[in-house]
Amino acid sequence: MRHGCTLRGDPDAVVERVATLSAAAAGTLSFLANPQYRSQLQATRATAVVLAAGDAEACPAACLISSNPYLTYARIAAELHPEPPLAPGVSSRAVVAATASIGAGSQVESGAVIGDGADIGERCYVGANAVIGRDCRVGADTRLMPLVVLYPGVRVGARCLLHAGAVIGADGFGIARGEGGRWTKVPQVGSVVVGDDVEIGANTTIDRGAIGDTIIGDGAKLDNQIQIGHNVVIGCHTAIAGLVGIAGSTKVGARCILGGDATVSGHLEIVDDVVVSGGATVTNSITRPGLYGGPLPASEMRSWRRNAVRFGQLDELARRLQRLEQIVGQKGKADT
Amino acid sequence: MRHGCTLRGDPDAVVERVATLSAAAAGTLSFLANPQYRSQLQATRATAVVLAAGDAEACPAACLISSNPYLTYARIAAELHPEPPLAPGVSSRAVVAATASIGAGSQVESGAVIGDGADIGERCYVGANAVIGRDCRVGADTRLMPLVVLYPGVRVGARCLLHAGAVIGADGFGIARGEGGRWTKVPQVGSVVVGDDVEIGANTTIDRGAIGDTIIGDGAKLDNQIQIGHNVVIGCHTAIAGLVGIAGSTKVGARCILGGDATVSGHLEIVDDVVVSGGATVTNSITRPGLYGGPLPASEMRSWRRNAVRFGQLDELARRLQRLEQIVGQKGKADT
Amino acid sequence: MRHGCTLRGDPDAVVERVATLSAAAAGTLSFLANPQYRSQLQATRATAVVLAAGDAEACPAACLISSNPYLTYARIAAELHPEPPLAPGVSSRAVVAATASIGAGSQVESGAVIGDGADIGERCYVGANAVIGRDCRVGADTRLMPLVVLYPGVRVGARCLLHAGAVIGADGFGIARGEGGRWTKVPQVGSVVVGDDVEIGANTTIDRGAIGDTIIGDGAKLDNQIQIGHNVVIGCHTAIAGLVGIAGSTKVGARCILGGDATVSGHLEIVDDVVVSGGATVTNSITRPGLYGGPLPASEMRSWRRNAVRFGQLDELARRLQRLEQIVGQKGKADT
């Protein structure tokens, strides 16, 4: 069977669209990947469900048994719900510079502005009111949704998807302090290079390099409202959730996952295969793969306040503990 | 009297515009709602002040005594400073699909692009360079400010206000991991449904559902730069401050308040009438109404660093404390 | 010598562009300002390096010795890489109201929309699809990149640079609560005043005042994705990194530095010359200059979890410590 899964149940069952387990009706395909939703399996009215072998017994519908149900679901869903085909051509309301090049089969929507020397590949989509600066290069089959901005000289690979409002290549935050605290702008003369198969979320910003380029590796997936500083390097197949900020010159390895609202300081290195919790603040380089935690979870206000006050006394509490240990005759754990 | 308040002072006093207590001049209306500003009351030059009964004595101007001064102020201010009237019509520089429908009395500005089958209600405002995708529906009296993007199929209710750069209906962050850590996109086939009387701030992003819709309840108020993940449900009259992130499939109840920069993990449920502090990280469902606190407040760097180092020793400190208790003969609080 | 630095080495050396120490080739100028990169000095192939006197000995190339190498580098780099000159004129695809005024030497790109009564100074740049509301004023030599939005009445000073997607003057988040938790909008009748020499990053939002104006002081530098609430005042030469949020009516002093993702609550005052760590949450006014720290840094998940659990017991641990002290006969530090 295609998609590397095993069918259990009616081989002639037909599904036309996807549905959640709880909202499924006849003719739908559903899936079970997050154990939190296992209790919804028994009552589902889906025609077929993608799931792991261990869940097949409890399933009332046809089963597509997979060792990776979510991935199998993703592939079948993409067949059931294909992207709408492009309507190739350049809108008469778009503004394309005479020296720009638009590849065969590409669609450029109303209000899009494409600058001198820009090179848009084949079968690309440039959404309404998007702005592509001079000398940008965009690979084949890449879609730039409405209001995407590529600053001059930015390069984006093939098969990428950039969502509305993403701004790629604005100046990095480079300022030098002088007399009286006055700031002088440091020219940002690098650019941004986005690899192939990258997705960039709505209103995400990726700054151009100060010197040299900011680099987003092949297959990286960035959610919405992310801020990537100048000269950051994001490794291949790394996934970054919404509202994350990565400060300048930091290198994030391959296959990392950064949870939503995490923050990474500048000039750090994070090795491959690191997972950082949502909201965590990474202030030092991470040299070993693994899971990294932070921040403190919210709790009821009364207990939160009590404990937060104690946090402000923590060093003093530790010193008092050590003094007590000495009095009581404990071998002092001389960590202060 | 209108607005349910009591007048104390000159009934013929006329106010033409609003002012703060400290900057008020003759002919202005001011208000006192936040006790932090009470000290400014006595010296105010406002012609009239909206305030609570207990503050009337100290007020040198005409008083509009209200049990809810801020609300009363809001209503009077809206009369003094009405929205500018629409200039109905579609700009010749807008691009409206032949199959789109624009309700009577609506105004569509230059550069706006409205797709096939879109249905804009009566007396709507579509700002310059906004992009409304195919088959979107927008209710009467809704205002979409410049550069708002509605992806295809998004529905927005009546009397809403969406600020510039808001992106509604971009793909949710759905990716399935396969061999070598490669990600496969999970089609995002749901949409977004925004209720009536909703305000959405500048550059806020609300993703479309993976399956089924992301839902923003009637009367919800969202500030700027917020990220709402796919299939999130926001209850009616819930207010969310700037930079908040809510991860996918989480349900937030009605009448909640989330402080600025708070983060809520995915697949959680927060009941009605919950208030979360600014910056807090909610990682578990909240099953009881009330106030929830976080994170630790900033403090002077030297004491911060000392206490942060101790935090990294906290488990060890607790174990040492327990050992001491055993030695001294305390009944061990066996919580480890 | 110009730029107030001393040359050591070949006075006829010519540099044409800038480079990092590690990637430099002949004909390039590099710099050493961050000690983290000192180890790259010896092997650099740069033709000249800007550095501090103490580093000159180790430098194989011509040295430009400066007491502030980063500032000197910034100035020379700006000469080597000047901004491309404007191409004055208004695009036929821009939409400029008849009552708007465009200063001599200014360039207005395709799709830009400039409203009634707007006044754009001399030698300004208005990028593609930017939207300038009615009655806005923009000072000379200011550049508004693509898709910048100025709401009506916003004033921006001279020599400013506003990056793509920045939204200046959207309504502040003013809502008053009434019966049933329903919110009533509070009219936002103030505006935004941006001083001279200000840089504002991509997708940053600055709300208009509720009453009176939101003010950004001369020389302030704001990175991307920042949210500035209504009636905030930012002092001159203050620098704010990405993703920072500042809630309404807070005053930040001059020459402050706020690290990325820091959050400042509303109605506070921060004096001049305060530095706040990235990610810190400021919930009280800061009355003394200096460094302020927060939040807790991420750590390996196992130790993080153990310590986070202990944080939830912190008040209890402190009470147990106090009890032990009393038993052992310590003079009780009665801080509870």
Side-chain angles (χ1 to χ4, degrees), chain A residues 117-179:
Chain A
D119 183 347
I120 310 293
E122 299 188 348
R123 298 173 306 278
C124 287
Y125 177 80
V126 181
N129 293 338
V131 178
I132 314 303
R134 68 184 136 71
D135 299 325
C136 286
R137 261 186 268 165
V138 176
D141 299 298
T142 282
R143 286 173 287 155
L144 308 175
M145 302 308 283
L147 300 177
V148 162
V149 177
L150 305 187
Y151 272 61
V154 165
R155 281 166 283 162
V156 176
R159 296 175 304 280
C160 292
L161 172 56
L162 275 64
H163 279 287
V167 176
I168 316 299
D171 285 348
F173 197 55
I175 51 178
R177 210 173 194 186
E179 271 177 56

Side-chain angles (χ1 to χ4, degrees), chain B residues 13 18 30 41 46 79 94 132 143 189 227 230 250 261 272 296 299:
Chain B
V18 298
S30 193
L41 182 59
E79 290 183 8
I132 313 302
R143 287 173 286 155
V189 306
Q227 155 62 5
H230 51 188
T250 282
D261 202 36
D272 298 344
L296 295 171
S299 65

Side-chain angles (χ1 to χ4, degrees), chain C residues 295-326:
Chain C
L296 296 171
S299 65
E300 279 194 279
M301 186 63 89
R302 261 178 59 181
S303 69
W304 176 268
R305 280 211 180 117
R306 274 199 297 256
N307 291 321
V309 166
R310 295 299 190 182
F311 177 81
Q313 306 162 347
L314 201 47
D315 186 55
E316 184 218 314
L317 292 172
R319 289 172 191 280
R320 282 163 53 192
L321 176 61
Q322 195 177 24
R323 220 176 299 133
L324 262 190
E325 286 173 331
Q326 287 163 351

Side-chain angles (χ1 to χ4, degrees), chain B residues 253-334:
Chain B
R255 298 176 304 278
C256 292
I257 298 175
L258 305 186
D261 202 36
T263 305
V264 185
S265 301
H267 300 278
L268 304 183
E269 292 208 28
I270 295 179
V271 297
D272 298 344
D273 301 301
V274 163
V275 178
V276 175
S277 293
T281 302
V282 179
T283 55
N284 288 291
S285 290
I286 297 181
T287 57
R288 289 189 305 180
L291 305 181
Y292 292 80
L296 295 171
S299 65
E300 280 194 275
M301 186 64 88
R302 261 178 60 181
S303 68
W304 176 270
R305 280 209 181 120
R306 274 200 297 257
N307 291 320
V309 166
R310 295 301 189 182
F311 175 81
Q313 307 163 345
L314 201 48
D315 186 54
E316 183 218 314
L317 293 173
R319 289 173 191 279
R320 283 163 53 192
L321 176 61
Q322 195 177 24
R323 221 175 298 133
L324 263 191
E325 286 173 331
Q326 285 163 352
I327 290 170
V328 176
Q330 283 271 306
K331 186 165 157 288
K333 313 222 157 196

Side-chain angles (χ1 to χ4, degrees), chain B residues 3 7 53 62 123 148 160 165 207 218 258 305 310:
Chain B
H3 303 299
L7 174 68
R123 298 172 307 277
V148 162
C160 292
D207 282 347
D218 292 343
L258 305 186
R305 280 209 181 120
R310 295 301 189 182

Side-chain angles (χ1 to χ4, degrees), chain B residues 26-311:
Chain B
T28 63
L29 173 79
S30 193
F31 70 102
L32 174 59
N34 181 340
Q36 189 175 341
Y37 297 104
R38 186 169 289 143
S39 63
Q40 300 179 356
L41 182 59
Q42 210 151 6
T44 190
R45 303 179 63 185
T47 293
V49 180
V50 187
L51 39 59
D55 290 316
E57 197 63 41
C59 180
C63 296
L64 292 162
I65 299 171
S66 165
S67 59
N68 187 339
Y70 195 42
L71 179 62
T72 300
Y73 164 77
R75 288 174 176 161
I76 301 175
E79 290 183 8
L80 292 172
H81 299 271
E83 287 295 321
L86 295 180
V90 175
S91 162
S92 64
R93 305 297 279 262
V95 182
V96 179
T99 57
S101 149
I102 311 289
S106 286
Q107 178 179 2
V108 179
E109 296 270 25
S110 298
V113 178
I114 301 181
D116 282 317
D119 183 347
I120 310 294
E122 299 187 348
R123 298 172 307 277
C124 287
Y125 177 80
V126 181
N129 293 338
V131 178
I132 313 302
R134 67 182 136 71
D135 298 326
C136 286
R137 259 186 268 165
V138 176
D141 300 297
T142 282
R143 287 173 286 155
L144 308 175
M145 302 308 282
L147 300 177
V148 162
V149 177
L150 305 187
Y151 272 60
V154 165
R155 279 165 284 161
V156 176
R159 297 175 304 280
C160 292
L161 173 55
L162 275 64
H163 280 287
V167 176
I168 316 298
D171 285 348
F173 197 54
I175 50 177
R177 209 171 196 188
E179 272 176 55
R182 282 179 172 71
W183 299 100
T184 294
K185 183 177 178 66
V186 179
Q188 303 291 301
V189 306
S191 187
V192 179
V193 178
V194 175
D196 297 331
D197 302 298
V198 171
E199 184 163 346
I200 296 176
N203 286 348
T204 280
T205 52
I206 303 177
D207 282 347
R208 65 193 314 110
I211 306 174
D213 298 329
T214 303
I215 295 170
I216 311 295
D218 292 343
K221 306 294 178 185
L222 278 65
D223 196 2
N224 297 351
Q225 308 253 23
I226 290 166
Q227 155 62 5
I228 305 287
H230 51 188
N231 296 102
V232 164
V233 177
I234 303 292
C236 297
H237 313 302
T238 279
I240 305 180
L243 290 163
V244 164
I246 304 182
S249 299
T250 282
K251 288 188 170 64
V252 178
R255 298 176 304 278
C256 292
I257 298 175
L258 305 186
D261 202 36
T263 305
V264 185
S265 301
H267 300 278
L268 304 183
E269 292 208 28
I270 295 179
V271 297
D272 298 344
D273 301 301
V274 163
V275 178
V276 175
S277 293
T281 302
V282 179
T283 55
N284 288 291
S285 290
I286 297 181
T287 57
R288 289 189 305 180
L291 305 181
Y292 292 80
L296 295 171
S299 65
E300 280 194 275
M301 186 64 88
R302 261 178 60 181
S303 68
W304 176 270
R305 280 209 181 120
R306 274 200 297 257
N307 291 320
V309 166
R310 295 301 189 182
F311 175 81

Side-chain angles (χ1 to χ4, degrees), chain A residues 3 66-75 219 221 236-239 255 257 273, chain B residues 174-186:
Chain A
H3 304 300
S66 165
S67 60
N68 187 339
Y70 195 42
L71 179 62
T72 299
Y73 165 77
R75 289 174 176 162
K221 307 294 178 185
C236 297
H237 312 301
T238 280
R255 297 175 305 278
I257 299 175
D273 300 302
Chain B
I175 50 177
R177 209 171 196 188
E179 272 176 55
R182 282 179 172 71
W183 299 100
T184 294
K185 183 177 178 66
V186 179

